[in-house]
């Protein structure tokens, strides 16, 4: 009986300490971690698809099958930009990104490693990106590999740019009209898709800026030449079937072994990213490597007619198209253009979006795009 008040006081103290402990725990849970990357709730993406025909309406010779296909990809950008476009307040000004040999759209949109997800991190900076699996790759339609050429790829890209400008593409899971309108459009090519971007630009004159990365028409290294020769050797024997043997024939790798792929592309790339990229590497349509010389010939004759702003970007340690050999010769093709920017990124390989220096690559491209209204 004499200890009642003391026990009551003790219980109160225990309850008070318990409440304080719970509060501190809750604050620890919700408090931001010092140095943690900020959340980016405004970044979103939508599936997009385009109906195209595999024709070649360019001067760059190469066979096509004239058949319809679907090109699939994603549009990635700030949610606010999509909402404004839907409401008719501000049209989109995206960049359409084309991957090179050995890749599909994962080159630009590597979701497994957010810090190397180029499209998402460009959305952080306010940019809208359209990333696609080119014809013959990934989830897009696959023709017989011999019936896929750089001229044909450029014609397909022009159909995509026309669909973006007119709103006649599929945005999301179902079609709505109008689709988010596109006003100004930049076109980006990496590696061999530089051929495609340039041919599309000087043939159809349907883009407002060009971003060209990791290729020089006249600047291939001996490593690149030997790689193309090895691919053509496989293709001359009929190539391989796409989709793990279930798809059409006429496909081959650029870089016949995993070691080749890593040596060609992955200097200064984190091991976990290099391993993932190696697992995801693709077969390429034989018609592409088979029409590289035709693409170079038309580029040399016609690239000087391109007057839109051009960014030429190279990794200093590119094993396939090393600067200054590649960058200088490519700059000369644009000698008549008064808005050409050359960027050479130190400690950077052919795979510029996957290297440890990817933030520097994105910052340089973002600054260039913003300066030109994108």
């Amino acid at each position: 009986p004499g200890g009642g008040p003391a026990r009551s006081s003790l219980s109160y103290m225990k309850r008070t300490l318990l409440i304080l402990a719970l509060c501190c725990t809750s604050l620890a849970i919700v408090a931001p971690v010092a140095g943690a990357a900020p959340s980016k709730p405004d970044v979103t993406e939508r599936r997009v698809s385009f109906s195209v025909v595999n024709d070649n309406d360019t001067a760059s010779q190469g066979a096509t099958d004239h058949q319809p296909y679907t090109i699939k990809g994603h549009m990635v950008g700030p949610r606010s930009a999509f909402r404004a476009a839907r409401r008719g307040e501000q049209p989109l000004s995206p960049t359409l990104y084309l991957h090179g040999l050995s890749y599909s759209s994962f080159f630009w949109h590597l979701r497994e490693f957010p810090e190397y997800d180029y499209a998402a991190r460009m959305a952080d900076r306010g940019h809208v990106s359209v990333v696609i699996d080119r014809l013959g790759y990934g989830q897009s339609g696959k023709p017989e590999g011999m019936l896929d050429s750089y001229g044909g790829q450029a014609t397909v890209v022009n159909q995509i740019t026309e669909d973006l400008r007119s709103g006649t593409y599929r945005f999301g899971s179902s079609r709505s009209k109008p689709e988010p309108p596109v006003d100004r459009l930049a076109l980006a090519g990496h590696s061999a898709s530089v051929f495609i971007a340039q041919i599309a630009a000087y043939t159809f004159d349907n883009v407002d800026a060009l971003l060209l990365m990791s290729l020089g028409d006249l600047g291939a290294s001996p490593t690149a030449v030997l790689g193309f020769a090895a691919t053509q050797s496989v293709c001359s024997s009929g190539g391989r079937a796409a989709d793990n043997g279930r798809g059409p024939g006429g496909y081959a790798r650029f870089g016949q072994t995993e070691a080749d792929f890593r040596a060609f592309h992955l200097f200064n790339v984190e091991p976990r990213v290099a391993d993932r990229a190696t697992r995801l590497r693709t077969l390429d349509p034989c018609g592409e490597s088979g029409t590289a010389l035709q693409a170079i010939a038309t580029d040399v004759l016609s690239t000087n007619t391109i007057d839109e702003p051009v960014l030429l970007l190279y990794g200093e340690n590119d094993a396939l198209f090393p600067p200054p050999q590649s960058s200088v010769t490519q700059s000369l093709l644009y000698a008549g253009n008064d808005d050409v920017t050359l960027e050479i990124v130190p400690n950077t390989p052919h795979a510029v979006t996957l290297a440890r220096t990817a933030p520097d690559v994105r910052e340089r491209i973002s600054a260039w795009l913003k300066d030109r209204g994108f």
Side-chain angles (χ1 to χ4, degrees), residues 252-336:
R253 293 196 188 281
F254 178 67
Q256 301 308 303
T257 67
E258 290 187 0
D260 289 340
F261 176 75
R262 289 172 180 266
F264 290 176
H265 298 259
L266 302 179
F267 167 83
N268 197 24
V269 174
E270 286 189 46
R272 63 191 179 116
V273 178
D275 290 346
R276 183 60 177 158
T278 302
R279 287 194 296 272
L280 291 173
R281 70 191 183 114
T282 65
L283 294 167
D284 307 298
C286 284
E288 291 198 18
S289 57
T291 57
L293 292 178
Q294 292 91 319
I296 291 170
T298 53
D299 280 356
V300 169
L301 292 173
S302 302
T303 299
N304 63 344
T305 65
I306 295 173
D307 56 9
E308 290 79 16
V310 175
L311 172 63
L312 302 174
L313 185 141
Y314 298 85
E316 182 183 47
N317 306 89
D318 192 325
L320 300 177
F321 295 94
Q325 170 185 328
S326 187
S327 57
V328 169
T329 57
Q330 200 68 9
S331 298
L332 291 174
L333 296 182
Y334 287 92

Side-chain angles (χ1 to χ4, degrees), residues 24-204:
C24 289
T25 302
S26 298
L27 287 171
I29 291 172
V30 300
V33 178
S39 164
K40 297 291 184 180
D42 193 39
V43 174
T44 189
E45 68 175 67
R46 299 290 178 86
R47 291 188 180 92
V48 291
S49 60
F50 306 88
S51 298
V52 302
V53 177
N54 182 25
D55 287 332
N56 185 356
D57 298 329
T58 78
S60 184
Q61 297 181 359
T64 58
D65 62 6
H66 314 294
Q67 296 301 307
Y69 293 95
T70 299
I71 302 297
K72 295 185 178 181
H74 290 85
M75 189 179 289
V76 186
R79 190 185 307 272
S80 55
F82 294 140
R83 287 175 176 169
R86 282 290 197 196
R87 293 193 293 261
E89 297 170 356
Q90 180 67 45
L92 299 175
S93 294
T95 302
L96 172 61
Y97 287 93
L98 312 176
H99 60 82
L101 302 180
S102 303
Y103 295 100
S104 62
S105 58
F106 78 85
F107 183 79
W108 308 107
H109 196 24
L110 191 64
R111 295 184 186 88
E112 296 93 328
F113 303 109
E115 63 270 43
Y116 294 102
D117 186 340
Y118 174 92
R121 302 290 70 81
M122 290 295 281
D124 293 343
R125 293 168 166 82
H127 302 288
V128 177
S129 303
V130 181
V131 296
I132 60 170
D133 293 333
R134 292 198 287 108
L135 184 68
Y137 293 87
Q139 299 301 309
S140 293
K142 294 180 178 64
E144 172 66 31
M146 301 294 185
L147 300 177
D148 183 348
S149 63
Y150 286 124
Q153 288 276 353
T155 304
V156 166
V157 165
N158 182 59
Q159 294 171 53
I160 293 171
T161 61
E162 288 179 340
D163 285 353
L164 285 167
R165 292 187 185 280
S166 65
T168 53
Y169 62 98
R170 190 175 295 277
F171 182 75
S173 58
S174 60
R175 184 180 296 279
S176 60
K177 292 186 178 297
E179 302 298 353
V182 167
D183 181 16
R184 303 179 70 244
L185 179 66
L187 179 60
H190 173 256
S191 191
S193 66
V194 167
F195 294 139
I196 301 166
Q198 290 181 151
I199 295 169
Y202 59 67
T203 301
F204 303 106

